Amino acid sequence: MTAKEKMNKMKYRRIIVSRHGGPEVLQVVEEGLPEPQPGEVRVRVLAAGVSAYDLMFRRSGSFPGTPRVPFTLGEDIVGVVDKLGEGVSNIKPGQMVAGGTFSLGVGGGYTEYICLSVSELVVVPHGVDPAEAVCLVVNYLTAYAALHRTANVQKGERILVHGAAGGVGTALLQLGKLAGLEMYGTASKHNHELVSGLGATPIDYRSEDFVKRIHNITGDGVDAVFDPIGGAMQVWRSYRALRKGGRLAWFGVAATKKAGLRVIPFTILMVFLLKVIPDGKKMPLTPDIGKDNAWYRETLTELLDLVASGSIKPVIAERIPLVEATRAHELLERGGYAGKVVLITDT
Ligand SMILES: NC(=O)c1ccc[n+]([C@@H]2O[C@H](COP(=O)([O-])OP(=O)(O)OC[C@H]3O[C@@H](n4cnc5c(N)ncnc54)[C@H](OP(=O)(O)O)[C@@H]3O)[C@@H](O)[C@H]2O)c1
């Protein structure tokens, strides 16, 4: 059998959400390799990110945009280019690439092989760990956009980061340090050493009132708050931690983990109420990182260079084999981890 015939017969594994429910609904399926369409490349996946969004799509079909089961989760991948589709010339087989699966809807990254448009992929510099690189695609791009596009932070400003030990929180602290900011971060007590190691003053959101603590330390409040937690009361309190002229960047609903999807409409209502208060504080909306392709490619390249030079080092909570995706979701449901959970295929 020729190498081409062997490849045509080859099977690969991907993880599907077989029905809505707990982590156990994730199942491994085997199928023939996908073929890249014109403008696409086929990537042999080395690392795939797991995110809080994945949990929402897995749990129930009522979250807007959830496809019909079965479907594959996963917003971010890093892998090696394995086959080129027609018309692709700017990338070579064997090159390592990183990218988002945004054009596929909810994802598709929990897989050994995936076909993606070359426009979504950026070449990973030599020597960069694929698991570290995959943290950049969603978490660091979100953090970068929140810091530099939404809140437009300036050197020397004070910021408060909620969920500071989380995937996006650790990214905000590492990029915030590079931007020369004075930083405060809410986290559970057991994550305080990590948060202070990343250059922020930790605040225990479980036992302390962060609004009081921020005003006690700073006097008039912080210049920007980054809130991926959501919930009407949480967002209101984040707003109160701002000084006059401060900006609140709300970009997530981690609170849904405990309180369910009903948190979302109440958060949105509060955000719109706060937007109309004429008190000099601002609630700029965070742009969708997948929408502006030129910005996405340029910034992801810049972030990959920062990892390659050792200027940033993504925090990986755990590397879990792809076929144990259920275990990865159990960990996310349970909490108590720090950084990003990554699925890996080469074990
Ligand atoms: N808009 C976007 O483009 C975008 C992109 C990525 C993520 N997100 C959003 O951002 C959220 C966070 O993502 P992630 O990947 O960083 O999640 P993650 O890694 O699970 O981290 C979430 C963190 O939230 C902390 N936490 C939970 N309740 C809290 C509270 N009441 N106050 C302060 N911290 C609290 C936990 O901290 P402890 O363990 O220390 O308790 C945990 O470290 C997601 O839910 C998602 O909605 C949005």
Side-chain angles (χ1 to χ4, degrees):
M1 203 188 291
T2 65
K4 195 174 171 190
E5 281 166 342
K6 258 192 205 156
M7 211 60 192
N8 286 343
K9 285 210 156 181
M10 214 179 116
K11 299 267 188 211
Y12 80 109
R13 292 173 295 185
R14 73 182 167 99
I15 308 295
I16 55 160
V17 176
S18 56
R19 59 179 203 283
H20 292 291
E24 72 286 350
V25 304
L26 297 179
Q27 282 179 9
V28 182
V29 290
E30 267 196 7
E31 46 199 30
L33 286 187
E35 282 301 308
Q37 299 302 303
E40 288 185 346
V41 296
R42 185 169 70 199
V43 178
R44 180 168 62 80
V45 175
L46 298 173
V50 180
S51 81
Y53 272 122
D54 301 346
L55 302 192
M56 292 198 266
F57 290 120
R58 190 210 68 220
R59 280 176 180 161
S60 107
S62 50
F63 190 62
T66 309
R68 281 172 182 235
V69 291
F71 61 91
T72 296
L73 294 164
E75 308 175 282
D76 36 14
I77 59 106
V78 168
V80 174
V81 175
D82 160 74
K83 189 172 182 182
L84 305 183
E86 212 182 292
V88 176
S89 56
N90 56 345
I91 215 158
K92 293 191 200 81
Q95 277 185 313
M96 198 194 287
V97 288
T101 60
F102 314 124
S103 64
L104 305 179
V106 301
Y110 294 12
T111 181
E112 289 175 330
Y113 284 87
I114 190 168
C115 292
L116 288 171
S117 162
V118 272
S119 66
E120 301 198 69
L121 298 169
V122 164
V123 173
V124 176
H126 197 68
V128 170
D129 172 359
E132 289 187 2
V134 86
C135 298
L136 307 179
V137 181
V138 172
N139 288 2
Y140 279 71
L141 279 179
T142 300
Y144 191 100
L147 283 167
H148 298 292
R149 297 183 86 184
T150 310
N152 193 18
V153 292
Q154 304 299 317
K155 192 174 177 182
E157 283 193 323
R158 291 184 207 126
I159 65 165
L160 169 64
V161 173
H162 289 299
V168 182
T170 51
L172 280 162
L173 295 187
Q174 291 189 2
L175 297 175
K177 191 173 178 185
L178 288 185
L181 305 176
E182 181 183 319
M183 305 187 293
Y184 301 87
T186 60
S188 293
K189 192 85 188 155
H190 62 93
N191 283 325
H192 281 201
E193 214 176 296
L194 171 72
V195 171
S196 38
L198 294 174
T201 301
I203 299 174
D204 184 355
Y205 68 89
R206 293 175 190 270
S207 65
E208 293 179 79
D209 177 339
F210 70 79
V211 184
K212 267 196 196 152
R213 180 83 197 278
I214 285 292
H215 283 287
N216 283 345
I217 305 173
T218 63
D220 59 346
V222 291
D223 297 287
V225 178
F226 298 87
D227 193 333
I229 310 300
M233 191 48 77
Q234 162 79 13
V235 171
W236 165 235
R237 293 175 70 224
S238 290
Y239 189 82
R240 284 173 48 219
L242 290 173
R243 68 163 184 77
K244 202 169 176 214
R247 292 86 70 199
L248 170 53
W250 164 65
F251 61 92
V253 282
T256 55
K257 231 191 218 181
K258 281 195 191 130
L261 294 181
R262 67 175 192 279
V263 165
I264 298 173
F266 291 112
T267 312
I268 293 172
L269 188 65
M270 178 59 78
V271 167
F272 281 97
L273 284 176
L274 295 176
K275 266 177 118 42
V276 296
I277 301 179
D279 61 357
K281 297 181 185 178
K282 295 184 193 77
M283 292 268 332
L285 291 179
T286 303
D288 186 335
I289 54 167
K291 285 274 179 321
D292 179 347
N293 189 257
W295 176 86
Y296 159 82
R297 298 181 62 80
E298 191 185 315
T299 313
L300 185 52
T301 305
E302 199 182 308
L303 291 168
L304 283 162
D305 288 343
L306 289 175
V307 175
S309 66
S311 306
I312 56 173
K313 186 165 177 62
V315 178
I316 296 175
E318 203 172 325
R319 296 164 195 248
I320 296 181
L322 174 74
V323 292
E324 295 176 37
T326 294
R327 186 155 74 77
H329 275 224
E330 283 167 355
L331 175 59
L332 256 82
E333 296 279 7
R334 205 168 50 239
Y337 57 88
K340 185 163 176 96
V341 177
V342 177
L343 295 173
I344 48 167
T345 57
D346 277 354
T347 48

